[in-house]
Amino acid sequence: MAKPSVSREEMQRLSSLSPFELKGAFIALAEKYADGQKGKSAAHMLNAGRGNPNWIATSPREAFYALGYYGLTESRRVWTADNLGGMPEKSGIGDRFDAYVRSHPELPGIELLKDCIELGVQRFGFDRDAWIHELVDSSVGDNYPVPDRMLVHVEQVVRGYIHDELMQGKPPKDNQLDLFATEGGTAAMCYIFDSLMKNGVLHKGDKIALMVPVFTPYIEIPELEDYEFDVVNVEASRFAEAGVREWRYPAEEIAKLEDPAVKLLCLVNPSNPPSLALSQRVTDQIKQIVATRNPNLLIVTDDVYGTFVNGFRTIATDLPRNTLLVYSYSKHYGCTGHRLGVIGLHQDNVIDDTIAALGPEEKARLAKRYGTLTLEPEKILFIDRLVADSRQVALNHTAGLSLPQQVQMALFSLFDLLPEGQDYKAKIQSIVQQRLDLLLEGSAMKINEDAGRAGYYIELDLLAEAERVAGQDFAEYLQDNYVATEPLFRLAEQTGVVLLNGGGFDGPEWSVRVSLANLDDLDYLKIGHHLKEIFADYRREWEQSK
C-alpha cells in the first residue's frame, strides 16, 4: 500500500485535536475510499471509532409504550373533549390497571409492564396505587418533576439496580445512596465539576489525578480556564510480557494519590479505552491511602461499562464516603439518544463534611447563593446543590430530568432485575466478546487474558506489537520515521476503516481504540485483516530500509 496522501506536517497538526474531532478527518478519507470503490467491490466505510452500540433493548421499550397507552386511557377517563384529556387520578388506579391488562392481552409490552410493577411492589414494598400512579402520571408528562432530584419510587428502583449490578448486591451498610437523575453521563460530569467549584470543594489550580488512559473529556475539562487544574496522571503502564500490555496500574502509580495535595481522583471503571474493571488490588491500595495518607480524597467514578463485567464492584462500595458515582444507561440498553444517567452520593460523605467546615466568608457566600431556596441554606446537602446548580439555582423549582425519561429508566432497571433482563445482559456481553475474538483472529495480535475485561472497547498498542513480532529495532524504526497517528490515516484512506488514536485518551501515542459495539460481527474480522496488512506494509518498508 502507498503512504497516505496527508502530509506529515498535517498529521501532526491534526493530532492536536480531540480524538473525537480528529475522527472527522479519518471519516472524510474513509468516505472518499468507499466512493472510489463503487462498482469495483462491496467495500464500504467501517467506522469503529464511536461507542454507540448497534443494539437496543426492545422489551423494556415495549413496556414503556404500553404504559403510555394506558396513561392516555387514564387521562381520558378524567376528562375527554376532542384532543383534550385530564390528569390521571391515583385513587383506585391499581384495580383499573389490572382490568386494563386483562382486556388488552394483545398489547405488546403489557405483560412485562405488569411484571415490572409487581416487582416494584414485592421487592421494594411500594404502595400499589402510589407506585402505578407515579408511573402513569409521569409517562404522560403532565407535571414538573417532584421531587426535582428524582421521583420517589424511581429512585428506589434505580438504587436497587445499582446495588445489584454495580455493588454485587452488597451495598454499604447504614449509608444510603442518594441519586440525582441526569441527562446522561455527559450532564453528570458537567454538573459535578461545576458544583464542586461553586461550593468551594475544589478551587482553580487544585491538584487532581486521572487514571489513564481515560475518556477524553476527563482530560480536557480540567484544562479549561474555569478550572486549570494541576493534573497528575496515574498510568496503567504494566506489561504482561514483552510487547503485551496488561493495562493495569503498578503500585507506584497508585502511590501518587498519597499526596494530600491531590484533592480529586477521576476514573472510568471499567476503563475507556482498555475496557478493564479496576482490580481489587488497586481498590485496596486506594482504601489504604484514604485510611492513612489522604482521608479527604474525593473520587469520581464513571461506571457506565460496569454491567459488561460479571461480578463488577464499583469503588463506591469500598469507599462510600469519598466517592461520587456516575452511571449511564446508554451503552447497556442501546439508548444513547434517551440521555439517561444518574449521579450517586452516599448520605455520609466527605463533600458535605468539607462544606460544613468552610470558613465564615465562604459560608456566607454560599448562604447567599442558595438563600432563596430555604431559610437554612447551610443544611442543603451537596446532592441537592447539584440539582440547584444544574438550573442556575433560580430555576431549581423546574429542575429535574424529564419524567417520561425517568419512567423509561425505571423500566430498564426493573427489566434487568428480572430473569429475561439477565438473559439480555449475557447476550450483549457475548456480542462484544465475539467481536473481540474476530478482531484478534484477523489481526493476529496478542492481548493479555483478563477476567475483568468488559470488551466494549479494546486498546491496541501498535508499537508494543511491533516489538513483539519483530523486536525493538522495528519499534524504533516506526517511532523514528512516522507520526504516531499515521497508521490511522493509512487505514482510513486505503481501507475505509476508522479507528481512534489512543494518545488522545492519554494512552500510548502509538495505540488505537477500537469500539466493539457499533459494527456487525464480521466487520471486526475485516478490520483485523486490514490492521494486519498495514502492519505488514510497515514491516516491508523497514526491511527495505536496512
Side-chain angles (χ1 to χ4, degrees), residues 158 161-162 166-167 177-180 182-193 196 215 218 265-270 299-307 312 314-316 323-330 340-345 383 386:
V158 174
Y161 170 73
I162 288 174
L166 305 185
M167 297 182 172
L177 181 70
D178 287 337
L179 298 172
F180 170 26
T182 63
E183 302 86 348
T186 302
M189 289 172 61
C190 297
Y191 297 159
I192 286 171
F193 279 105
L196 289 174
F215 184 45
Y218 285 104
L265 168 66
C266 295
L267 68 148
V268 177
N269 183 25
I299 300 168
V300 173
T301 182
D302 186 335
D303 294 347
V304 59
Y305 306 104
T307 54
F312 177 80
T314 174
I315 196 171
T323 306
L324 273 162
L325 183 151
V326 173
Y327 178 73
S328 167
Y329 287 72
S330 60
L340 302 179
V342 288
I343 298 171
L345 181 63
I383 192 79
L386 280 164

Side-chain angles (χ1 to χ4, degrees), residues 286-319:
I286 297 174
K287 282 176 64 178
Q288 184 63 20
I289 288 170
V290 168
T292 58
R293 300 293 187 89
N294 197 353
N296 292 318
L297 177 67
L298 177 60
I299 300 168
V300 173
T301 182
D302 186 335
D303 294 347
V304 59
Y305 306 104
T307 54
F308 289 85
V309 177
N310 288 326
F312 177 80
R313 182 182 177 91
T314 174
I315 196 171
T317 314
D318 294 280
L319 288 167

Side-chain angles (χ1 to χ4, degrees), residues 212-214 219 233 236 245 247 273-274 459 461 501-511:
V212 299
V214 71
I219 301 168
N233 279 354
R245 283 190 177 272
W247 300 111
E459 185 164 10
D461 187 341
N501 56 312
F505 298 82
D506 272 6
E509 288 297 317
W510 277 81
S511 64

Side-chain angles (χ1 to χ4, degrees), residues 2-33:
K3 292 185 178 181
S5 60
V6 180
S7 69
R8 183 186 183 97
E9 292 73 21
E10 181 68 359
M11 288 182 198
Q12 290 173 325
R13 190 180 71 83
L14 289 170
S15 294
S16 65
L17 296 173
S18 159
F20 297 100
E21 307 307 325
L22 176 57
K23 180 183 63 176
F26 300 147
I27 289 174
L29 290 170
E31 287 176 339
K32 186 176 180 181
Y33 164 83

